[in-house]
């Protein structure tokens, strides 16, 4: 058996699975310290279906800790950004384009040094060891505790980043965390560098959070391995999360989409995930979220790490209703919905109250909303349907019809049919699809690199990239007899000589599960 947990802004959901069978599911308000909510969810899960802690083979958790910390500018370590590329790239230094409050929150300090590569591996300039040592001394003088290192075209040649990391580590010691860009982002210097800086700023928090999550699970007596969901719908272990917290940013909507695929049996569909505060709309292709092909903006910063193509709008079960139902959101009562919504005895008119008053659901005490103005209720429900329909249409990339699956506790806000979209599929256990998505997640390996392909060598290069992706998945914990390629992209780079081609390969496989006692 395995347990899936998803910590959202409003609710913490948990499921107990035996294979693909859902034995129990629970939904608890997210606690202010988050981990207390996890312990409460596990306790309630055991009350719904008694299980021995030693019977659990793995616990998978999706968390919003890290994205929330970045958005709020809290708990970020003083961070330096060291870029290798002089004399090139000097006109756009690290932190260019960042919101000033976020730079202040991360106490960001930029540094430029010689190094870097051309796309074909030639050196822009040689690494200057003394120059990096001088930068390290300045970092120490300014209390830097985390360093992000980026080098021009490091996904093609990682040598300079690795050498610089070794020098910084020797000069500053083990107390400083180091993140290197070739392990985090893709081709595109500024976006890859930004993702690396964000990761570096979150490294200290990652240690605290992973320890707290593991402690919460151990407090229930479960000694099984704990895994964290990452952006592409696959898993990473606690140690990996400590090094790459940025990989968790989109785990919430990704888990919901993967859960929707498992519950509905649909591998290609539109997924509408409605929570307490927001609605996320994404597209599943072959059972995995469609990845964003453009740069992703996170907290006002342009990045290019793996993220699903998701459109979020500020409407959910806790959204406040104003202007006689013509405005729903963007403010929400969030995790206080069980205290503040009318149906739970509060004084706020929320989208959930409108759904209950409109006959869409029976939650809380329907008597408390029986006197709501029906014109207001109908207007609010129509407003919600229009907002979500518009979001779905914006996510389409072709005129081909796709089934629509609604999940999340807030999906009670939707009618059985939406104009232009047809019937809405709402599978069993839809309200905890996010936790189910976490519980069934697989392990992945990815290669994303620019290759110079000699004439007649395309098949050999592709086979090499596929084999590397498969090996990465197995090293990450995937079963060798199950791992397979799920995505392959070739993008020729026409303005670069030498038949250069960007190749991206992704492999996934089922997690190797330890035998339970």
């Amino acid at each position: 058996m395995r347990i899936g947990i998803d910590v959202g802004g409003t609710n913490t959901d948990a499921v107990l699975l035996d294979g693909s069978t859902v034995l129990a599911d629970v939904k608890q308000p997210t606690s202010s310290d988050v981990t207390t909510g996890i312990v409460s969810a596990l306790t309630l899960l055991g009350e719904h279906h008694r299980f021995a802690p030693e019977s659990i083979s793995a616990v998978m958790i999706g968390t919003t800790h890290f994205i929330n910390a970045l958005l709020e500018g809290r708990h970020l370590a003083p961070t330096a950004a060291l870029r290798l590329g002089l004399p090139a790239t000097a006109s756009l230094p690290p932190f260019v384009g960042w919101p000033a409050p976020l730079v202040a929150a991360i106490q960001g300090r930029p540094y430029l040094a010689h190094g870097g590569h051309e796309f074909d591996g030639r050196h822009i300039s040689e690494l200057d060891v003394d120059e990096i040592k001088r930068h390290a001394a300045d970092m120490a003088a300014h209390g830097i505790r985390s360093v992000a290192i980026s080098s021009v075209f490091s996904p093609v040649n990682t040598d300079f980043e690795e050498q610089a990391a070794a020098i910084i580590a020797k000069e500053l010691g083990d107390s400083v965390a180091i993140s290197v860009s070739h392990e985090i982002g893709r081709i595109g210097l500024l976006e890859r560098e930004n993702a690396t800086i964000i990761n570096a700023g979150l490294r200290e928090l990652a240690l605290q959070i992973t320890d707290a999550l593991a402690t919460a699970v151990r407090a229930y007596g479960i000694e099984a391995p704990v895994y964290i969901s990452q952006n592409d719908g696959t898993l990473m272990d606690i140690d990996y999360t400590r090094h790459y917290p940025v990989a968790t940013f989109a785990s919430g909507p990704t888990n919901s989409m993967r859960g929707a695929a498992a519950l509905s049996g649909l591998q290609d569909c539109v997924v509408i995930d409605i929570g307490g505060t927001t609605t996320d709309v994404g597209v599943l292709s072959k059972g995995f979220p469609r990845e964003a092909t453009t740069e992703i903006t996170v907290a006002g910063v342009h990045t290019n790490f793996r993220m699903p193509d998701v459109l979020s709008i500020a409407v959910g079960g806790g959204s406040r209703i104003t202007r006689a139902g013509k405005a729903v959101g963007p403010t929400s009562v969030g995790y206080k919905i069980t205290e503040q919504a009318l149906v739970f005895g509060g004084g706020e008119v929320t989208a959930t109250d409108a759904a209950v008053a409109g006959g869409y659901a029976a939650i809380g005490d329907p008597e408390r909303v029986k006197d709501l103005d029906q014109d207001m209720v109908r207007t609010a429900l129509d407003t919600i349907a229009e907002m979500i329909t518009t979001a779905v249409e914006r996510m389409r990339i072709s005129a081909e019809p796709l089934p629509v699956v609604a999940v999340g506790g807030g999906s009670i806000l939707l009618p059985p049919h939406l104009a232009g979209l047809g019937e809405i599929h709402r599978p069993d256990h839809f309200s905890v699809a996010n936790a189910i998505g976490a519980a069934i997640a697989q392990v992945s390996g990815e290669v994303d690199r620019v290759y110079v392909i000699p004439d007649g060598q395309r098949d050999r290069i592709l086979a090499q990239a596929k084999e590397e992706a498969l090996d990465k998945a197995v090293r990450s914990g995937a079963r060798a007899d199950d791992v397979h390629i799920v995505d392959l992209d070739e993008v020729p780079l026409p303005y670069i000589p030498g038949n250069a081609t960007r190749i991206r390969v992704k492999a996934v496989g089922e997690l190797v599960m330890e035998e339970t006692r």
Side-chain angles (χ1 to χ4, degrees), residues 13 29 44 65-66 71 82 111 125 127 141 168 230 245 253 303 309 361 413 416 425 442 454 487:
D13 299 340
L44 191 58
H65 278 96
F66 302 113
L71 293 173
L82 171 63
Y111 297 89
S125 61
L127 204 68
I168 294 292
Q230 54 182 336
T303 66
D309 190 7
L413 305 180
H425 299 267
Q442 297 170 299
D487 199 10

Side-chain angles (χ1 to χ4, degrees), residues 62-410:
T63 177
T64 58
H65 278 96
F66 302 113
I67 183 66
N68 289 346
L70 183 70
L71 293 173
E72 296 170 15
R74 297 182 299 108
H75 310 304
L76 302 175
T79 300
L82 171 63
R83 184 195 297 165
L84 311 174
L86 288 178
T89 81
S91 60
L92 295 174
F95 296 104
V96 64
W98 278 54
L102 185 56
V103 177
I106 208 168
Q107 299 177 50
R109 295 190 63 81
Y111 297 89
L112 292 170
H114 288 78
H117 292 82
E118 302 288 357
F119 82 97
D120 58 1
R122 288 179 293 122
H123 294 184
I124 293 175
S125 61
E126 298 304 316
L127 204 68
D128 186 332
V129 174
D130 291 335
E131 181 181 44
I132 294 175
K133 287 183 177 180
R134 289 194 298 271
H135 287 329
D138 190 73
M139 294 175 194
H142 287 89
I144 293 297
R145 299 201 299 268
S146 194
V147 180
I149 300 176
S150 60
S151 179
V152 179
F153 272 114
S154 63
V156 175
N157 191 318
T158 65
D159 288 350
F160 282 167
E161 285 191 355
E162 292 171 350
Q163 291 173 35
I167 296 168
I168 294 292
K170 184 176 180 180
E171 294 297 309
L172 299 183
D174 295 337
S175 61
V176 173
I178 298 173
S179 300
V180 288
S181 77
H182 69 269
E183 295 179 347
I184 292 170
R186 294 172 168 172
I187 299 296
L189 174 63
L190 291 179
E191 293 83 4
R192 183 176 74 252
E193 178 178 80
N194 287 343
T196 310
I197 295 170
I198 291 172
N199 189 80
L202 291 167
R203 288 283 297 273
E204 286 187 356
L205 179 64
L207 289 174
Q208 300 168 19
I209 294 302
T210 52
D211 286 346
L213 293 175
T215 299
V217 173
R218 302 294 177 247
Y220 194 78
I222 298 173
E223 297 297 330
V226 176
Y227 298 92
I228 308 298
S229 301
Q230 54 182 336
N231 299 328
D232 63 355
T234 58
L235 298 170
M236 52 186 173
D237 62 23
I238 288 288
D239 187 59
Y240 191 95
T241 308
R242 288 171 177 152
H243 288 85
Y244 309 106
V246 75
T248 70
F249 274 15
S251 63
T254 301
N255 283 341
S256 294
M257 287 193 279
R258 290 279 291 147
L263 292 172
S264 67
L266 297 171
Q267 297 293 295
D268 299 277
C269 61
V270 176
V271 177
I272 304 171
D273 175 25
I274 309 179
T277 305
T278 59
T279 293
D280 298 315
V281 179
V283 176
L284 280 172
S285 177
K286 299 178 183 177
F288 282 88
R290 184 177 72 198
E291 284 195 19
T293 55
T294 57
E295 67 180 28
I296 299 294
T297 300
V298 180
V301 178
H302 299 299
T303 66
N304 67 352
F305 54 88
R306 289 179 296 170
M307 291 279 275
D309 190 7
V310 173
L311 176 62
S312 298
I313 59 175
V315 60
S319 296
R320 293 182 173 92
I321 295 176
T322 55
R323 292 173 47 207
K326 295 179 182 179
V328 181
T331 62
S332 169
V333 298
Y335 65 86
K336 294 184 178 180
I337 188 170
T338 54
E339 302 170 13
Q340 298 184 2
L342 292 180
V343 292
F344 296 114
E348 296 270 11
V349 182
T350 69
T352 296
D353 296 315
V356 173
Y360 284 9
I363 296 175
D365 184 359
E367 289 295 310
R368 293 182 177 275
V369 294
K370 68 178 182 179
D371 294 328
L372 280 181
D373 181 83
Q374 285 301 305
D375 289 339
M376 183 274 289
V377 169
R378 178 48 49 194
T379 300
L381 293 175
D382 288 346
T383 299
I384 293 169
E386 182 180 353
M387 293 173 69
I388 292 175
T389 299
T390 300
V392 172
E393 292 297 340
R394 288 177 60 188
M395 290 300 292
R396 290 185 181 277
I397 58 175
S398 74
E400 293 296 320
L402 277 176
V404 179
V405 180
V407 296

